[in-house]
Amino acid sequence: QVQLVESGGGLVQAGGSLRLSCVASGSIYNINAMGWYRQAPGNERELVAEITSRGLPNYAEAVKGRFTISRNNDKTVYLQMNTLKPEDTAVYYCNAKGIASAFYRGDAWGQGTLVTVSS
């Protein structure tokens, strides 16, 4: 059973910073890419940032220059969010693509962590 567990969300004032973490567990051999998506009320889920197993990042235009994604190992991904804006308020979901484990092959999502940016 593969699980993605997120942490680090919370309430912050505009201009502040937060760091999200996501750890994958479940006898995992490899994960091709890990990333973060977000969903604000009334909006569709959208990509925030993603990083491949080789460390190549991809960012949404709205967060370029403010957010940094990093990967500590095959199973842990971070999102450093600086200069946060009220429009960054959303539930942030960790995503893993191309999981190969003892019992599962495919993609997975975390349960989500709420980020609220006050103006």
Side-chain angles (χ1 to χ4, degrees), residues 52-96:
T52 69
S53 58
R54 296 186 177 184
L56 297 176
N58 177 42
Y59 295 97
E61 285 296 326
V63 306
K64 279 184 180 178
R66 300 188 298 122
F67 291 11
T68 302
I69 191 168
S70 60
R71 199 163 166 180
N72 185 39
N73 51 45
D74 282 346
K75 303 176 187 177
T76 305
V77 66
Y78 304 98
L79 185 68
Q80 178 66 43
M81 304 185 293
N82 298 329
T83 320
L84 282 160
K85 304 176 181 179
E87 51 263 44
D88 294 318
T89 295
V91 177
Y92 283 69
Y93 295 92
C94 180
N95 172 260

Side-chain angles (χ1 to χ4, degrees), residues 6-115:
E6 302 123 330
S7 60
L11 173 64
V12 65
Q13 288 188 332
S17 298
L18 282 174
R19 189 189 195 211
L20 305 182
S21 301
C22 173
V23 180
S25 63
S27 300
I28 295 172
Y29 305 140
N30 183 61
I31 301 175
N32 283 345
M34 296 188 76
W36 295 91
Y37 288 68
R38 66 186 181 188
Q39 187 168 18
N43 291 356
E44 293 186 354
R45 192 172 297 189
E46 61 179 8
L47 174 70
V48 177
E50 190 171 67
I51 187 166
T52 69
S53 58
R54 296 186 177 184
L56 297 176
N58 177 42
Y59 295 97
E61 285 296 326
V63 306
K64 279 184 180 178
R66 300 188 298 122
F67 291 11
T68 302
I69 191 168
S70 60
R71 199 163 166 180
N72 185 39
N73 51 45
D74 282 346
K75 303 176 187 177
T76 305
V77 66
Y78 304 98
L79 185 68
Q80 178 66 43
M81 304 185 293
N82 298 329
T83 320
L84 282 160
K85 304 176 181 179
E87 51 263 44
D88 294 318
T89 295
V91 177
Y92 283 69
Y93 295 92
C94 180
N95 172 260
K97 291 186 174 69
I99 299 169
S101 78
F103 308 104
Y104 177 79
R105 290 182 183 270
D107 301 345
W109 291 92
Q111 79 285 356
T113 184
L114 178 62
V115 172

